[in-house]
């Protein structure tokens, strides 16, 4: 759309090679006239990706990446540092999502919080650093309240069991966490098929400190958790320079897509 309507040159970057191949096939089938101005490449985007991107822009479109204005548009990415450090990047439009896939070190996300203001707030709360953890990030990814209202009791139970199983898998694969069976359960729990019974039978503990890591079960807090993450990203961009402006815009109805807010950052 950006190419067809406005004539922008597009460099699509994706880490999954199969998706790159699919994009190229769809382009040849549905948008054959765009092959000269829309290119797709395989690459895992990180803070240090600008050198790769600059080379690809030069090869694909024969432009000088040092003087050609660039806008970042996409999903997932934390663009605050790349946006701040790279002069030619004049705008960034990103829909944050998949928060639970952030890199974790000793139970703490490496890229959250990013803003000094949220760090200060958490530092003033007793055990505030324990709030930001994998369950918090997974909770931020849940369905909006409007969807939860339409679910039946059985659907809630099934989803709860799925979340429990995913939490176990997280603990098995994340460094510094382990799953332990609790030796004594409450007398009221009679069936291991029951979600409450399942939680009562297991717990996740930090393998170094032994402290219990809580399960994500309060779905109604989803909007609050996601808003904290979104506002943290917005503040991080604004703190980087007084010449940067940033806003959060809802572009879709939550029933259409649970991820419906984009972060738009520009330079003066």
């Amino acid at each position: 759309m950006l190419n067809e309507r406005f004539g922008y040159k597009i460099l699509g970057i994706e880490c999954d090679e199969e998706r790159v191949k699919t994009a190229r096939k769809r382009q040849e089938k549905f948008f054959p006239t765009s092959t000269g101005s829309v290119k797709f490449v395989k690459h895992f985007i990180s803070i240090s990706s600008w050198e790769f991107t600059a080379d690809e822009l030069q090869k694909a479109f024969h432009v000088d990446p040092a003087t050609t204005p660039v806008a970042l548009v996409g999903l997932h990415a934390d663009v605050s540092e790349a946006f701040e450090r790279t002069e030619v990047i004049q705008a960034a439009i990103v829909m944050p999502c998949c928060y639970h896939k952030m890199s974790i070190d000793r139970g703490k996300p490496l890229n959250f919080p990013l803003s000094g203001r949220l760090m200060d707030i958490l530092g003033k709360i007793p055990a505030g650093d324990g709030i930001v953890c994998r369950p918090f990030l997974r909770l931020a990814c849940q369905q909006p309240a409007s969807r939860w209202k339409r679910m039946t009791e059985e659907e809630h139970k099934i989803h709860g069991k799925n979340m429990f199983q995913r939490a176990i898998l997280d603990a098995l694969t994340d460094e510094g966490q382990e799953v332990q069976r609790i030796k004594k359960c409450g007398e009221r729990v009679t069936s291991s098929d029951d979600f409450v019974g399942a939680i009562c039978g297991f717990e996740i503990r930090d393998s170094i400190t032994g402290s219990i890591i809580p399960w994500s079960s309060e779905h109604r807090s989803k909007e609050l958790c996601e808003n904290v993450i979104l506002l943290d990203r917005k503040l991080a961009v604004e703190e980087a320079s007084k010449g940067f402006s940033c806003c959060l815009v809802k572009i879709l109805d939550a029933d259409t897509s649970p991820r419906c807010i984009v972060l738009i950052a520009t330079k003066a």
Side-chain angles (χ1 to χ4, degrees), residues 32-151:
T33 60
S34 70
T35 54
S37 53
V38 179
K39 302 291 185 180
F40 300 97
V41 296
K42 177 183 179 297
H43 177 69
F44 182 83
I45 296 178
S46 66
I47 293 173
S48 58
S49 290
W50 174 245
E51 185 175 344
F52 168 86
T53 305
D55 290 341
E56 291 297 324
L57 286 172
Q58 191 170 31
K59 288 190 297 183
F61 308 123
H62 308 291
V63 298
D64 183 358
T67 59
T68 303
V70 174
L72 300 178
V73 181
L75 298 172
H76 306 291
D78 164 33
V79 301
S80 56
E81 191 161 352
F83 180 77
E84 173 190 352
R85 292 183 178 183
T86 310
E87 186 175 348
V88 297
I89 299 178
Q90 294 297 303
I93 305 171
V94 178
M95 180 174 285
C97 59
C98 303
Y99 313 115
H100 62 293
K101 292 186 178 181
M102 290 185 194
S103 298
I104 299 289
D105 182 34
R106 295 183 179 273
K108 305 299 178 186
L110 295 180
N111 295 314
F112 176 69
L114 293 173
S115 69
R117 288 183 63 181
L118 182 55
M119 291 180 188
D120 289 343
I121 291 172
L122 291 174
K124 295 176 182 177
I125 301 174
D129 59 341
I131 296 174
V132 179
C133 56
R134 177 78 77 181
F136 180 96
L137 300 177
R138 187 173 294 287
L139 188 54
C141 295
Q142 293 304 305
Q143 302 288 346
S146 57
R147 290 192 178 188
W148 285 103
K149 290 178 181 178
R150 297 197 300 268
M151 294 177 66

Side-chain angles (χ1 to χ4, degrees), residues 163-229:
M163 287 190 66
F164 169 76
Q165 293 167 355
R166 290 172 68 179
I168 290 181
L169 292 176
D170 280 342
L172 290 174
T173 56
D174 289 350
E175 183 180 355
Q177 294 185 11
E178 60 185 4
V179 175
Q180 297 180 359
R181 179 181 290 277
I182 300 175
K183 296 181 180 180
K184 294 182 180 180
C185 292
E187 296 180 358
R188 290 182 297 176
V189 177
T190 58
S191 173
S192 60
D193 291 332
D194 181 79
F195 178 48
V196 176
I199 289 182
C200 185
F202 294 90
E203 62 187 6
I204 298 179
R205 288 184 175 271
D206 187 294
S207 60
I208 297 176
T209 65
S211 59
I212 296 176
I213 300 171
W215 300 110
S216 295
S217 59
E218 297 296 325
H219 308 301
R220 62 182 177 271
S221 301
K222 173 264 171 192
E223 284 85 356
L224 175 61
C225 295
E226 182 172 27
N227 286 343
V228 170
I229 295 174

